[in-house]
Amino acid sequence: MNGFVSWLPVTAAPAGLRLAVKDVIDVAGMPTGAGNPRWLATHPIPEQDADVVQRLRREFTVVGKTHTDELAYSLTGTNAHYGTPVNPAAPDRMPGGSSSGTATVVAAGLADLGLGTDTAGSIRVPASYTGLYGLRPSHSRVPRTGIVPLAPSFDVPALLARDPQTLRAGARLLLDAVSPATLPRTVWWPGDIPVAPDVRDLLRGTLSRLVGAGLELTTAPLFDSGGWDRIRAAFTTVQAAEVWEQHGDWIRRERPIFGRNVSARLQLAAEVTPALAYEARSILREAADRLTRMLGEDRVLALPATPEPAPPLDDPGHARAAVVRLTCLAPILGGPSVSLPVARYHGLPLGLSLLAAPGRDETLLTLAELLSGQGPRTFAAESP
């Protein structure tokens, strides 16, 4: 399977459930390459598992490490050095990143659970593109030791699975403490979601099972005019500042070669001034306060996981900004988000994302199980 990197030879099928680990997360005795050959050459082989790997080993067997976009700083799933993992749901389409290899091996049935990371959507985007369930946990409930950082304010280890039961089994091992899985009163589907009308209508229809279970549906706008883009731009600025803080010295010292898109992103990151970062952080604090007040303990926010299905592999204009507009809210809030494979658009998987207040991970897992019995809704009008 193109895109699957097995650093350890597996001579027989492992007993129990199989775990694939993204190549920014340490597994004892296996190199951590962060998607870049120079990183691989300049860092020692870890002697210990990352904390999250230790937790999952209680019930899962590590079968290998998987491709990632370089330094996990991309959402397409492509890699200039190691190639692009094949999307089993659509081989001529991007798999999504940066947890690209993790998503493709789980979608292909080569692993039962995928362990990756999510900063700006790196679990939820590939989940949407490959037709998987994905969980980005609350920041406060998972350890991050033994993981190559990207932007520490937003980084979190995260999970992928083909079914919600396996996702919950992984979450039970991964998460600190236990939160009661009480159902919210309201599911909030904002009327100002910046996606095409047919995508909005298709995914809104998938919420009928939650409404049938007694949840109220509200469509109040989420932001004032221009709010989505203002917050996305602030998030991108803060993320870039933190990326350069983490990796700027190494990049200047080692002069690694990066693919075109990642290289351009890093050049911009090097130019973010402290004043720009300070201003952007103030915008994010205001957005987080607003989301906290509006979600409370009895409301779940529903959004498209991505604004469209997986783009073609040869599409040079992947709309990163349009994706990040949707995916940046969970890292800004620090709350959990789950991506659900509830729809097909022109025959391609398209995910729904649910977001809740920090600590409400179990609530989202319960809602994922509730929605999983619905079967995918489809939109199959004439292709554009």
Side-chain angles (χ1 to χ4, degrees), residues 77-359:
T78 58
N79 187 299
H81 307 284
Y82 302 126
T84 302
V86 175
N87 181 346
D92 61 340
R93 301 271 172 157
M94 294 177 184
S98 62
S99 303
S100 54
T102 308
T104 60
V105 299
V106 173
L110 299 176
D112 301 295
L113 185 72
L115 175 62
T117 58
D118 189 307
T119 301
S122 290
I123 281 287
R124 293 162 289 155
V125 171
S128 181
Y129 288 176
T130 62
L132 295 175
Y133 291 86
L135 172 67
R136 176 195 168 94
S138 296
H139 290 195
S140 60
R141 296 189 62 187
V142 281
R144 278 164 270 186
T145 56
I147 300 175
V148 178
L150 180 64
S153 293
F154 309 126
D155 298 343
V156 66
L159 300 174
L160 289 162
R162 292 186 301 279
D163 61 82
Q165 292 76 29
T166 304
L167 192 69
R168 183 184 284 274
R172 177 173 46 81
L173 299 171
L174 193 70
L175 298 175
D176 287 331
V178 175
S179 176
T182 54
L183 287 180
R185 254 190 345 167
T186 306
V187 56
W188 182 13
W189 179 254
D192 60 337
I193 298 172
V195 297
D198 51 3
V199 170
R200 188 184 304 122
D201 293 344
L202 173 65
L203 289 173
R204 175 174 173 168
T206 68
L207 299 172
S208 60
R209 183 172 290 263
L210 297 183
V211 175
L215 278 71
E216 299 175 2
L217 180 67
T218 181
T219 58
L222 187 56
F223 298 117
D224 297 332
S225 177
W228 289 90
D229 284 318
R230 183 174 65 255
I231 290 166
R232 189 274 310 163
F235 172 84
T236 299
T237 297
V238 174
Q239 181 190 26
E242 294 195 7
V243 170
W244 194 251
E245 182 180 352
Q246 293 297 314
H247 299 304
D249 288 345
W250 176 78
I251 291 170
R252 284 191 292 260
R253 182 177 66 251
E254 299 295 338
R255 299 185 180 277
I257 296 172
F258 293 105
R260 179 173 56 88
N261 291 335
V262 174
S263 179
R265 209 164 290 129
L266 287 167
Q267 289 174 16
L268 291 174
E271 298 171 0
V272 176
T273 65
L276 285 174
Y278 179 85
E279 181 182 358
R281 284 191 172 94
S282 68
I283 293 173
L284 297 191
R285 283 193 295 270
E286 291 176 3
D289 289 344
R290 175 178 174 82
L291 287 168
T292 299
R293 289 194 306 271
M294 297 186 77
L295 285 174
E297 291 298 316
D298 60 358
R299 180 177 283 182
V300 165
L301 177 64
L303 298 169
T306 53
E308 61 183 2
L313 287 169
D314 59 357
D315 181 359
H318 178 255
R320 177 182 173 89
V323 175
V324 176
R325 271 199 305 243
L326 300 173
T327 59
C328 71
L329 300 186
I332 290 170
L333 180 64
S337 182
V338 63
S339 180
L340 314 166
V342 296
R344 297 190 76 84
Y345 183 81
H346 297 299
L348 298 169
L350 182 63
L352 174 75
S353 179
L354 300 178
L355 170 63

